[in-house]
Amino acid sequence: METGIHELTAGYALDALEPDERRAYEAHLSGCETCQEELASLSDVTEALAVAASGPVPRPELRERLLGAAHAEPQVVVPFESRSRRSVPVLSAVAAVAAVIAVGLGVWATQLSGDLDEARSALDSQRELAVVLADPEARTVALEQGQGRLVVDPDGRAVLALRGLGPAPAGKTYEVWVMEAGVPTRAGLFAGRHDADLVRVEEAVDDGDVVAVTIEAAGGVDAPTTQPIVASEPV
Amino acid sequence: MEVLAPTVLAFAHSEPAWSMRRQHAHLSDEALVALVARGDEPALAELYDRVGRVAYGLAFRVLRDERLAEDAVQEGFLGVWRTAAAFRAERAKASTWILTLVHRRAVDLVRREERRRAEPLPDELVARAGEAAEATDEAAWLRFERERVQAALAQLPDVQREALELAYYGGFSQSELSERLGVPLGTIKSRMFAGLARLRELLDESEQEGSWRPEFTS
């Protein structure tokens, strides 16, 4: 098993792995110094292969388009206090994940600047969210209704990033739906916060689906009974 | 002198973008990534100006389509924009990281589009790329590097070169190549590994030759 995964280094460097192998290798890589070193030693070669690719020069429009797209996703960075920099390695790993969350979404900094312990437990539960948010291949989908955005990775794992929703009314909850061709599937509940919510969509999201949020009775319901207060554009 | 001063001031105010780009021009790629992580758009522009051309050439080589290559470059750079804070300079060079993001995106697109054009580029396109490369010093450096790497590739055993090119430029996975070439998966893996290791040696050698260092014999 171990030797098998080591053998994937060259394939990984060339992007010649299948998606599941790639993920397995990345999981292995974070804890394997041998593979990290080997991969680093191959990076000059793959860069040389990139330089050797013959191709036409890009149109000037590409530069404008790309910078315009970046501008449309403004960033706000978490200002980490000095005490968090001095913290134990586990916590700095969490802090790095937090930075990724904040950078990826551009907003959700405020909840991290409070008490560290609180932030830590909140972040533990958000690690899975961060995997989606940090994926450079994840797409950002705008919301047709509500403030925020939807981020969907190539496997259909999705995170809703919502701003200013506020806590759900007493006796009520927010419920997430994945609408496939207009048919809603339950995709999780959350309580809502004043500043920002990061919500894992608990169902896979495919091309053309819409992710929506309604206010429902506490405990959730099997089919929406109210109009959505949040709705994404079709993915 | 007193007459000139207001003119200079006016110039400085009318060209803020220019002055920011000049500030960025002397920064390392890694410093630029750190700025990008703070939401600095001119730093992203500077990174594009440095790496964008190679990134596009690479994406075009994989995808053989201008529109798709543009998409791959844009999405790769948006990956840079979104995840710059996660970049660790001790792990990799910034340019390599950016090219990896663009390449991965191109490979995903080529697999999705079922575009399987691993054959060499038509001469006409190579010629066009060559012509453009004459234009500037930077492009001349690129052409020199391209020739150096192509010369090193040409020295690899055929089966190793084929495995590297079909994977990196053709977007084929190891499993797909095993099937397509009718060779066991383990053989494909070793060819890629041996090919990359040998290519690294050849590039190191040619780099030493290229720097015209005097050779001393002991």
Side-chain angles (χ1 to χ4, degrees), chain B residues 103-115:
Chain B
H103 183 258
R104 187 169 293 177
R105 195 63 204 148
V107 166
D108 286 346
L109 285 175
V110 83
R111 288 186 189 167
R112 188 179 303 169
E113 295 283 321
E114 288 299 324
R115 284 167 185 269

Side-chain angles (χ1 to χ4, degrees), chain A residues 145-208:
Chain A
Q145 192 167 354
Q147 277 195 312
R149 62 194 91 174
L150 175 72
V151 180
V152 187
D153 84 0
D155 298 322
R157 293 182 297 180
V159 172
L160 261 179
L162 302 172
R163 220 174 305 172
L165 211 53
K172 303 279 184 182
T173 181
Y174 292 109
E175 185 152 10
V176 184
W177 307 94
V178 174
M179 317 275 292
E180 186 184 352
V183 180
T185 304
R186 296 182 71 168
L189 306 175
F190 64 101
R193 299 165 56 107
H194 280 297
D195 46 6
D197 285 292
L198 283 176
V199 182
R200 173 71 205 273
V201 178
E202 292 169 9
E203 285 289 322
V205 176
D206 295 323
D207 284 354

Side-chain angles (χ1 to χ4, degrees), chain B residues 10-196:
Chain B
F11 179 73
H13 281 290
S14 64
E15 298 273 342
W18 176 87
S19 71
M20 287 183 89
R21 280 193 61 194
R22 292 315 304 158
Q23 279 175 23
H24 285 150
H26 64 274
L27 293 178
S28 71
D29 294 349
E30 289 70 24
L32 288 171
V33 173
L35 283 174
V36 168
R38 292 163 181 265
D40 188 309
E41 293 176 27
L44 186 71
E46 178 74 26
L47 280 175
Y48 176 80
D49 291 341
R50 293 184 191 184
V51 188
R53 181 174 165 167
V54 170
Y56 180 79
L58 176 62
F60 186 83
R61 174 76 183 259
V62 174
L63 289 158
R64 309 298 172 97
D65 178 286
E66 290 188 1
R67 180 58 63 185
L68 287 171
E70 289 185 350
D71 287 349
V73 172
Q74 173 165 338
E75 289 169 31
F77 272 84
L78 282 178
V80 172
W81 181 242
R82 292 181 189 137
T83 62
F87 172 72
R88 296 287 169 264
E90 63 272 18
R91 287 266 193 95
K93 286 198 301 186
S95 56
T96 309
W97 176 62
I98 295 169
L99 290 170
T100 300
L101 290 179
V102 171
H103 183 258
R104 187 169 293 177
R105 195 63 204 148
V107 166
D108 286 346
L109 285 175
V110 83
R111 288 186 189 167
R112 188 179 303 169
E113 295 283 321
E114 288 299 324
R115 284 167 185 269
R116 297 299 193 195
R117 306 188 201 165
E119 66 276 10
L121 279 176
D123 288 346
E124 171 202 338
L125 279 179
V126 176
R128 258 175 69 195
E131 270 168 38
E134 309 278 342
T136 64
D137 286 352
E138 189 194 347
W141 176 84
L142 264 184
R143 191 184 51 171
F144 173 79
E145 273 300 293
R146 184 160 58 223
E147 284 168 2
R148 188 171 78 89
V149 181
Q150 281 167 351
L153 270 173
Q155 290 180 62
L156 286 181
D158 287 346
V159 292
Q160 290 179 9
R161 184 175 57 250
E162 177 187 56
L164 294 190
E165 289 186 343
L166 286 173
Y168 197 72
Y169 299 135
F172 290 94
S173 72
Q174 292 179 329
S175 327
E176 288 171 325
L177 279 183
S178 161
E179 200 171 307
R180 178 181 156 118
L181 300 175
V183 176
L185 183 58
T187 309
I188 295 291
K189 287 180 180 174
S190 1
R191 282 179 188 174
M192 281 186 194
F193 183 79
L196 280 180

Side-chain angles (χ1 to χ4, degrees), chain A residues 89-179:
Chain A
V90 170
L91 192 53
S92 33
V94 173
V97 169
V100 170
I101 294 177
V103 168
L105 291 160
V107 190
W108 289 266
T110 46
Q111 69 205 60
L112 306 175
S113 55
D115 179 65
L116 265 183
D117 288 339
E118 203 177 289
R120 178 191 226 162
S121 72
L123 285 169
D124 277 344
S125 67
Q126 288 182 355
R127 200 166 268 156
E128 204 186 356
L129 302 177
V131 170
V132 175
L133 298 176
D135 187 339
E137 289 156 27
R139 281 183 294 160
T140 304
V141 179
L143 300 185
E144 238 173 56
Q145 192 167 354
Q147 277 195 312
R149 62 194 91 174
L150 175 72
V151 180
V152 187
D153 84 0
D155 298 322
R157 293 182 297 180
V159 172
L160 261 179
L162 302 172
R163 220 174 305 172
L165 211 53
K172 303 279 184 182
T173 181
Y174 292 109
E175 185 152 10
V176 184
W177 307 94
V178 174
M179 317 275 292

Side-chain angles (χ1 to χ4, degrees), chain A residues 55-78:
Chain A
V57 174
R59 298 183 304 146
E61 290 87 334
L62 175 59
R63 184 180 192 275
E64 303 316 314
R65 204 179 94 182
L66 177 159
L67 294 174
H71 183 74
E73 286 187 31
Q75 299 176 320
V76 175
V77 174
V78 189

